[in-house]
Amino acid sequence: MLTAWRSPRAILWTVAVVVALGFLIALEVAARHYGVAGPITNQGREVIFAPKSGPLLYASMALMMVVLTWRERFIALGVAVGIDVVFFLVRWIVGADMMFGNGALWVLLGYGVIALTRRSGQERVLLLKGVGLGLLLVAGRKTGDSWLLITWKTRPTVLDQYVATADHALGNPSWVVGRMVEATGSAGTHVLEWVYIQLAVAAVAVALYQLRHVATERRFPGHHLVRTFLVIGLLGPGIYMLFPVVGPVFAYGPGASGTGGVQWAVADLWPHTAPSIAVPHQMTYDDLTPRNCMPSLHTAWATTIFIHSRRGPRFLRYAGAFWLLATLGATLGFGYHYGADIIAGVVFAVTIDAALRAHDRGWDRAGIQLVTYGATVFVALLVSYRFIPLEMARHPWVFGPLLVLATASVVHTYTRTTKLWDPKAVPAAKPLEAQPELV
């Protein structure tokens, strides 16, 4: 047993757990410094108080259940629903906020205790991995909330004028799509809003298909959607800190979260009047609006859902395509992102997924080249938005196609390389023909 814990894989998992715990503690301390609760406190509150997102907690429990037998799954679901019914009745009686999800969190935590006290060997490891996968999705949401707090507290100035100027090269797509969404009325708005909010649930649906054989094979596949989803959420906010942007509905409209509303904006223009081309400047913004635009992580996540749904049945492939298109419509149509954010989000997602695939199969020349190329294009996009936005706006017939071609080249390289990595894409070798015997 001691030898097993000294194996390189066990040491790697131990280091990962310690780093993750240290990261959560650091975010908790940072949030407390600004006078609010951090991810650990917020998650702890949801054991008793109304959760922020019940569907997310049940989706997290569903991820954990991929390691259980069907009998155990029905028991776990029944216990979770039973606990939620009790909580729901108590909240209704005392007049508290109504939300479900506590039961799912209790089941997750309960199976963690079962893994440590009632399982041993590989069965314990497998169950802990399932519990960890579910809790990581939950913790990722809380971590993201704390990251957003840090962005608006530490980045008082934003770079929206630079991105909006560069966006002229793409034809100001947020303004165009914003008017289209406005014309669809409330029905179209509600659909896009639901898709935008429930993105993590869609990711879990694809992940459940990818992990459907875990219970029978007693192991996780080397690469799946949840890994990419979580890494994007971990690294993306770091880019927010380097390139703080609030979005067109805030910088060019009435969407400011802080006091004063539109007074923080350049002008009340979005979505009916595109901003004029002028020399951009950094601008001070309120202390409540997240600087969470560059890159668009919603686009990055939706892109990975689309990529990983390609191996699924027809319904899942159609759903993945719909979720990507609807997410693009929401991010642009609600004024949350510029077109430049969307392009950066696609390159960001493809590069991270390529890196995780390359790590899983062992780094080779093709993997190193793909990840290096994707990272180079991503950095080039950010640098161009920051330092040559005026030139991009004045020469849209040059820079517009360049931006699209650069993004398409990364996607094409990713597609071509991953097909070479896929053993199913390599034709089987023909059997050697029998040689005539020499007489």
Side-chain angles (χ1 to χ4, degrees):
M1 181 65 69
L2 185 60
T3 304
W5 283 104
R6 288 179 178 176
S7 67
R9 192 172 186 85
I11 293 174
L12 181 61
W13 273 101
T14 303
V15 171
V17 170
V18 171
V19 170
L21 183 59
F23 181 66
L24 285 173
I25 293 174
L27 283 179
E28 182 75 25
V29 172
R32 293 282 182 175
H33 173 72
Y34 292 112
V36 297
I40 298 176
T41 302
N42 285 331
Q43 193 57 67
R45 285 175 52 84
E46 294 190 352
V47 175
I48 301 297
F49 297 99
K52 185 175 182 179
S53 175
L56 180 66
L57 287 172
Y58 270 89
S60 300
M61 185 184 72
L63 274 181
M64 180 274 296
M65 290 196 299
V66 298
V67 305
L68 305 180
T69 64
W70 277 107
R71 179 177 176 275
E72 291 171 332
R73 291 170 185 171
F74 285 122
I75 293 174
L77 181 60
V79 171
V81 172
I83 293 173
D84 267 326
V85 169
V86 173
F87 271 96
F88 204 84
L89 290 175
V90 172
R91 288 185 182 127
W92 178 66
I93 292 172
V94 302
D97 293 336
M98 305 299 287
M99 177 53 72
F100 62 93
N102 301 87
L105 182 57
W106 278 44
V107 169
L108 267 172
L109 298 174
Y111 267 103
V113 174
I114 290 173
L116 294 173
T117 60
R118 305 291 297 274
R119 298 287 191 272
S120 61
Q122 290 300 318
E123 289 300 314
R124 171 185 289 176
V125 172
L126 186 67
L127 186 52
L128 283 175
K129 284 184 178 180
V131 173
L133 196 64
L135 290 178
L136 275 174
L137 187 63
V138 175
R141 175 68 175 267
K142 301 303 179 186
T143 300
D145 293 342
S146 296
W147 258 121
L148 295 184
L149 166 73
I150 293 172
T151 64
W152 75 64
K153 291 294 186 181
T154 61
R155 293 294 180 269
T157 59
V158 297
L159 302 176
D160 281 77
Q161 292 187 34
Y162 291 86
V163 183
T165 303
D167 227 35
H168 281 278
L170 297 170
N172 302 300
S174 182
W175 273 258
V176 175
V177 180
R179 292 193 294 271
M180 293 171 60
V181 170
E182 192 177 67
T184 64
S186 60
T189 300
H190 287 322
V191 171
L192 292 180
E193 186 177 28
W194 183 81
V195 168
Y196 190 84
I197 294 173
Q198 301 300 339
L199 187 67
V201 178
V204 169
V206 176
L208 289 177
Y209 176 80
Q210 292 182 320
L211 303 175
R212 66 194 183 281
H213 297 309
V214 170
T216 55
E217 296 179 355
R218 314 311 293 166
R219 64 180 182 85
F220 280 85
H223 180 61
H224 51 83
L225 172 60
V226 181
R227 295 175 68 198
T228 307
F229 211 82
L230 291 173
V231 173
I232 287 174
L234 178 65
L235 299 180
I239 312 299
Y240 294 164
M241 301 292 287
L242 297 174
F243 209 112
V245 179
V246 293
V249 73
F250 301 106
Y252 293 90
S257 301
T259 56
V262 76
Q263 78 173 31
W264 294 101
V266 177
D268 192 2
L269 301 176
W270 188 89
H272 300 290
T273 305
S276 59
I277 299 175
V279 178
H281 300 282
Q282 296 188 39
M283 53 186 283
T284 303
Y285 210 75
D286 71 16
D287 58 354
L288 287 175
T289 304
R291 279 64 164 152
N292 62 341
C293 280
M294 183 64 71
S296 169
L297 294 196
H298 262 79
T299 300
W301 284 320
T303 300
T304 60
I305 291 173
F306 175 79
I307 290 172
H308 285 263
S309 66
R310 297 305 89 196
R311 293 291 186 84
R314 180 179 299 178
F315 169 76
L316 202 62
R317 296 197 303 270
Y318 287 167
F322 165 76
W323 223 272
L324 175 59
L325 292 175
T327 301
L328 292 176
T331 53
L332 291 171
F334 293 153
Y336 297 151
H337 289 280
Y338 304 91
D341 308 336
I342 303 298
I343 286 178
V346 171
V347 174
F348 188 66
V350 169
T351 303
I352 288 178
D353 195 72
L356 292 174
R357 287 180 186 270
H359 177 73
D360 178 56
R361 70 183 304 276
W363 289 93
D364 57 10
R365 182 177 180 181
I368 294 173
Q369 288 178 339
L370 172 57
V371 174
T372 302
Y373 180 59
T376 301
V377 171
F378 179 73
V379 172
L381 290 175
L382 298 188
V383 171
S384 63
Y385 299 157
R386 178 63 177 84
F387 294 105
I388 57 169
L390 203 57
E391 290 75 7
M392 296 172 70
R394 289 172 175 170
H395 304 91
W397 60 90
V398 175
F399 287 97
L402 279 178
L403 291 173
V404 174
L405 287 174
T407 305
S409 68
V410 175
V411 174
H412 173 71
T413 306
Y414 170 86
T415 304
R416 184 185 61 190
T417 305
T418 51
K419 280 184 177 180
L420 293 176
W421 287 346
D422 182 7
K424 296 180 181 179
V426 180
K430 294 181 178 180
L432 294 175
E433 297 182 2
Q435 296 296 323
E437 294 185 4
L438 297 176
V439 180

